[in-house]
Amino acid sequence: MRIALDDFGVGYSNIGYLRRLPIQTLKLDRLLTVDVAQEHEARCILGAIVQIARALDLRLVAEGVEDPGQALWLSHLGCRHLQGYLFGRPMPAEAFADYLGFDGARRIA
């Protein structure tokens, strides 16, 4: 079993949990990633978080990636796992199977 700390950077998901919880994945809240292409401060903060994640051997996932500029900056900063509307919108399982190219004979378990 692997544990992810979701929505990191907002609310009750704070940096202190990195020491206390046995997590393997850190998911950055979209509020941290939304301005990365426009704001130097956002890039500085995200760069520091990427360094912390590397030092703690955590997988880092950036949420809320909606445009190529965000994806480019996040990749440049070292965040290799991105999720958001840039890659796909929420969809039913059948639509997802079509999106992946599964035929009608195969089913997703």
Side-chain angles (χ1 to χ4, degrees), residues 8 26-30 32-33 46 49 60-63 79:
F8 182 74
L26 190 60
K27 294 185 73 177
L28 299 176
D29 189 81
R30 71 173 299 281
L32 291 174
T33 62
L46 286 167
I49 293 171
L60 190 62
V61 179
E63 297 178 340
C79 188

Side-chain angles (χ1 to χ4, degrees), residues 46-90:
L46 286 167
I49 293 171
V50 168
Q51 289 179 2
I52 290 169
R54 277 191 190 139
L56 296 174
D57 197 28
L58 299 175
R59 179 175 185 239
L60 190 62
V61 179
E63 297 178 340
V65 180
E66 297 181 0
D67 66 65
Q70 287 173 303
L72 183 65
W73 270 107
L74 288 161
S75 294
H76 176 74
L77 290 170
C79 188
R80 302 291 178 241
H81 303 281
L82 311 175
Q83 79 179 52
Y85 288 166
L86 178 63
F87 308 105
R89 296 199 175 259

Side-chain angles (χ1 to χ4, degrees), residues 20 42 63 68 74 98 107:
R20 290 188 273 160
E63 297 178 340
L74 288 161
D98 290 340
R107 299 201 52 128

Side-chain angles (χ1 to χ4, degrees), residues 87-107:
F87 308 105
R89 296 199 175 259
M91 62 184 80
E94 297 80 24
F96 185 62
D98 290 340
Y99 178 76
L100 293 177
F102 285 114
D103 61 20
R106 294 180 62 181
R107 299 201 52 128

